[in-house]
Amino acid sequence: MKKKSFTTLLFLVILFSISAQQKRLRDHGIQIGVLKPGALNAITDVPGVQVGHTTLNKGDSIRTGVTAILPHSGNIFQQKVPAAIHLGNGFGKLAGYSQVKELGNLETPIILTNTLDVATAVNALVGHTLLLQGNETVRSVNAVVGETNDGFLNDIRGRHVTEKDVLQAIKNAKASQVEEGNIGAGTGTICFGFKGGIGTSSRILPKKSGGYTVGVLAQTNFGGMLKIAGVDIGKQMGHYSDNFKYATDGSCMMIVFTDAPLDSRNLERLAKRAMLGLARTGGIASNGSGDYVIAVSTAKECRIPYESDHLIQTVPTLRNSAMTPLFLATIEATEEAILNSLFAAETTIGRNGHKIEALPKKQVLEMLKAAGKI
């Protein structure tokens, strides 16, 4: 009897897992681009990368959270990684930009949260870094924190994210499948007038192009004219800003990681291509939308030690002529990450009874089938 109950429970767990996986774009037969995704089709396909969430979904007005992205599991301050930040549209509050621009490296995990809790996240990251073994004499920390404004669904003025929440997201970080949709920093976000959230995707280059992995994670909270696989979904539904069905302002944070050995200059070139992926979904980077891309190379041979006895640092870096496949991978993975955030998100009711519907997937899938995309 017990064996039968266990078998039934196992079946239900597997069924639930399959159901959850079907929320993703590819599980509906929709293929974006030509390059193959990694095993998880997530930013965590890049070796060593970890992602963690803390979700605050309390009462009738708190709909927010924190998402942490780590380039490796070690002391990031002591073993910094090459990085670059591209401002697609600078209407936002991205902390830590100037030092990354100046020095070309990242020395903390990347934290995503809501607009008014950036300062809290910075304090938490600073405290986290100072307490790490080996950082006992450190007196300067460049904490990198990005945001989107979830104030329609979330009581953003209440500033409910605590330093403990940020530290918990870092603690929760794992190199496994990334939860998407209404999770972490995507709990209260809106995308194309539907419920947005966290989405991720990856691409693997062919061996002749280096075999490198590119992974993207997006926090989607922006508008425009929704397109999926080139089909004008928003136009067909009459759901776009010209009809004043929703505001296009918001923000989108795009995090691009790769194990390709890149310096900050080529990482900035890579970051710019993520905006092309956003455009392919119909995003327009409106006046009030803070659209930022943070690109990082996780290649071990490119890590930058905090202290060294050598005056000259010699690291390998990919040639300019080898960048094109990485550009394509970034565009495709960004497009799919954004769309995955929509497919995974669920209808949400929040502050003042505001309700944002999930993407009507049945209707959308019928449109895509009619267009020959499925």
Side-chain angles (χ1 to χ4, degrees), residues 160-176:
H160 299 284
V161 172
T162 67
E163 291 187 27
K164 183 178 178 181
D165 295 325
V166 178
L167 297 175
Q168 188 61 49
I170 296 172
K171 185 177 180 180
N172 290 342
K174 298 178 181 178
S176 58

mmCIF file of all heavy atoms in Angstrom, residues 160-176:
data_model
loop_
_atom_site.group_PDB
_atom_site.id
_atom_site.type_symbol
_atom_site.label_atom_id
_atom_site.label_comp_id
_atom_site.label_asym_id
_atom_site.label_seq_id
_atom_site.Cartn_x
_atom_site.Cartn_y
_atom_site.Cartn_z
ATOM 1 N N HIS A 160 9.677 47.433 1.326
ATOM 2 C CA HIS A 160 9.564 46.238 2.154
ATOM 3 C C HIS A 160 10.758 45.284 2.064
ATOM 4 O O HIS A 160 10.882 44.376 2.891
ATOM 5 C CB HIS A 160 8.279 45.489 1.786
ATOM 6 C CG HIS A 160 7.041 46.295 2.022
ATOM 7 N ND1 HIS A 160 6.519 46.505 3.274
ATOM 8 C CD2 HIS A 160 6.223 46.967 1.160
ATOM 9 C CE1 HIS A 160 5.443 47.259 3.192
ATOM 10 N NE2 HIS A 160 5.234 47.551 1.913
ATOM 11 N N VAL A 161 11.607 45.453 1.062
ATOM 12 C CA VAL A 161 12.786 44.585 0.951
ATOM 13 C C VAL A 161 13.779 44.940 2.051
ATOM 14 O O VAL A 161 14.116 46.117 2.252
ATOM 15 C CB VAL A 161 13.450 44.724 -0.433
ATOM 16 C CG1 VAL A 161 14.780 43.984 -0.479
ATOM 17 C CG2 VAL A 161 12.513 44.193 -1.522
ATOM 18 N N THR A 162 14.257 43.941 2.764
ATOM 19 C CA THR A 162 15.244 44.153 3.821
ATOM 20 C C THR A 162 16.609 43.619 3.395
ATOM 21 O O THR A 162 16.717 42.865 2.418
ATOM 22 C CB THR A 162 14.819 43.438 5.106
ATOM 23 O OG1 THR A 162 14.854 42.009 4.880
ATOM 24 C CG2 THR A 162 13.412 43.845 5.524
ATOM 25 N N GLU A 163 17.628 44.000 4.135
ATOM 26 C CA GLU A 163 18.966 43.472 3.853
ATOM 27 C C GLU A 163 18.974 41.952 4.001
ATOM 28 O O GLU A 163 19.653 41.239 3.248
ATOM 29 C CB GLU A 163 20.000 44.111 4.779
ATOM 30 C CG GLU A 163 20.244 45.580 4.493
ATOM 31 C CD GLU A 163 21.386 46.168 5.295
ATOM 32 O OE1 GLU A 163 22.301 45.395 5.672
ATOM 33 O OE2 GLU A 163 21.381 47.383 5.546
ATOM 34 N N LYS A 164 18.207 41.447 4.948
ATOM 35 C CA LYS A 164 18.105 40.002 5.145
ATOM 36 C C LYS A 164 17.560 39.316 3.898
ATOM 37 O O LYS A 164 18.011 38.229 3.519
ATOM 38 C CB LYS A 164 17.209 39.698 6.351
ATOM 39 C CG LYS A 164 17.102 38.221 6.688
ATOM 40 C CD LYS A 164 16.229 37.998 7.918
ATOM 41 C CE LYS A 164 16.096 36.516 8.226
ATOM 42 N NZ LYS A 164 15.217 36.304 9.434
ATOM 43 N N ASP A 165 16.589 39.952 3.229
ATOM 44 C CA ASP A 165 16.020 39.399 1.997
ATOM 45 C C ASP A 165 17.070 39.306 0.903
ATOM 46 O O ASP A 165 17.112 38.335 0.141
ATOM 47 C CB ASP A 165 14.852 40.257 1.508
ATOM 48 C CG ASP A 165 13.670 40.258 2.455
ATOM 49 O OD1 ASP A 165 13.405 39.213 3.081
ATOM 50 O OD2 ASP A 165 13.016 41.322 2.583
ATOM 51 N N VAL A 166 17.912 40.342 0.823
ATOM 52 C CA VAL A 166 18.973 40.352 -0.197
ATOM 53 C C VAL A 166 19.986 39.247 0.088
ATOM 54 O O VAL A 166 20.379 38.488 -0.820
ATOM 55 C CB VAL A 166 19.678 41.725 -0.228
ATOM 56 C CG1 VAL A 166 20.817 41.716 -1.250
ATOM 57 C CG2 VAL A 166 18.677 42.832 -0.555
ATOM 58 N N LEU A 167 20.394 39.136 1.337
ATOM 59 C CA LEU A 167 21.363 38.102 1.716
ATOM 60 C C LEU A 167 20.788 36.705 1.508
ATOM 61 O O LEU A 167 21.512 35.774 1.133
ATOM 62 C CB LEU A 167 21.787 38.301 3.166
ATOM 63 C CG LEU A 167 22.524 39.613 3.471
ATOM 64 C CD1 LEU A 167 22.798 39.748 4.967
ATOM 65 C CD2 LEU A 167 23.834 39.694 2.688
ATOM 66 N N GLN A 168 19.482 36.562 1.718
ATOM 67 C CA GLN A 168 18.843 35.259 1.511
ATOM 68 C C GLN A 168 18.852 34.878 0.041
ATOM 69 O O GLN A 168 19.038 33.714 -0.312
ATOM 70 C CB GLN A 168 17.414 35.279 2.038
ATOM 71 C CG GLN A 168 16.731 33.927 2.039
ATOM 72 C CD GLN A 168 17.439 32.910 2.927
ATOM 73 O OE1 GLN A 168 17.749 33.193 4.086
ATOM 74 N NE2 GLN A 168 17.697 31.720 2.397
ATOM 75 N N ALA A 169 18.646 35.867 -0.855
ATOM 76 C CA ALA A 169 18.692 35.586 -2.296
ATOM 77 C C ALA A 169 20.075 35.093 -2.692
ATOM 78 O O ALA A 169 20.209 34.166 -3.502
ATOM 79 C CB ALA A 169 18.313 36.834 -3.089
ATOM 80 N N ILE A 170 21.113 35.710 -2.119
ATOM 81 C CA ILE A 170 22.487 35.258 -2.398
ATOM 82 C C ILE A 170 22.681 33.843 -1.867
ATOM 83 O O ILE A 170 23.261 32.979 -2.537
ATOM 84 C CB ILE A 170 23.511 36.229 -1.771
ATOM 85 C CG1 ILE A 170 23.403 37.611 -2.418
ATOM 86 C CG2 ILE A 170 24.927 35.684 -1.911
ATOM 87 C CD1 ILE A 170 24.235 38.681 -1.744
ATOM 88 N N LYS A 171 22.186 33.594 -0.669
ATOM 89 C CA LYS A 171 22.307 32.271 -0.064
ATOM 90 C C LYS A 171 21.552 31.217 -0.869
ATOM 91 O O LYS A 171 21.969 30.059 -0.962
ATOM 92 C CB LYS A 171 21.781 32.311 1.365
ATOM 93 C CG LYS A 171 21.969 31.021 2.143
ATOM 94 C CD LYS A 171 21.475 31.174 3.581
ATOM 95 C CE LYS A 171 21.662 29.868 4.355
ATOM 96 N NZ LYS A 171 21.184 30.010 5.774
ATOM 97 N N ASN A 172 20.435 31.625 -1.462
ATOM 98 C CA ASN A 172 19.608 30.693 -2.242
ATOM 99 C C ASN A 172 20.194 30.378 -3.620
ATOM 100 O O ASN A 172 19.676 29.500 -4.325
ATOM 101 C CB ASN A 172 18.207 31.279 -2.445
ATOM 102 C CG ASN A 172 17.389 31.332 -1.164
ATOM 103 O OD1 ASN A 172 17.705 30.648 -0.193
ATOM 104 N ND2 ASN A 172 16.347 32.150 -1.153
ATOM 105 N N ALA A 173 21.217 31.103 -4.022
ATOM 106 C CA ALA A 173 21.756 30.971 -5.383
ATOM 107 C C ALA A 173 22.278 29.562 -5.643
ATOM 108 O O ALA A 173 23.038 29.001 -4.853
ATOM 109 C CB ALA A 173 22.855 31.994 -5.614
ATOM 110 N N LYS A 174 21.848 29.014 -6.784
ATOM 111 C CA LYS A 174 22.253 27.667 -7.177
ATOM 112 C C LYS A 174 22.572 27.621 -8.665
ATOM 113 O O LYS A 174 22.041 28.404 -9.449
ATOM 114 C CB LYS A 174 21.133 26.662 -6.871
ATOM 115 C CG LYS A 174 20.777 26.553 -5.399
ATOM 116 C CD LYS A 174 19.623 25.579 -5.198
ATOM 117 C CE LYS A 174 19.244 25.478 -3.731
ATOM 118 N NZ LYS A 174 18.084 24.569 -3.514
ATOM 119 N N ALA A 175 23.408 26.672 -9.033
ATOM 120 C CA ALA A 175 23.764 26.474 -10.449
ATOM 121 C C ALA A 175 22.830 25.435 -11.048
ATOM 122 O O ALA A 175 23.253 24.377 -11.511
ATOM 123 C CB ALA A 175 25.221 26.034 -10.572
ATOM 124 N N SER A 176 21.539 25.734 -11.042
ATOM 125 C CA SER A 176 20.533 24.787 -11.523
ATOM 126 C C SER A 176 19.472 25.547 -12.305
ATOM 127 O O SER A 176 19.647 26.722 -12.629
ATOM 128 C CB SER A 176 19.905 24.034 -10.339
ATOM 129 O OG SER A 176 19.323 24.946 -9.428
#
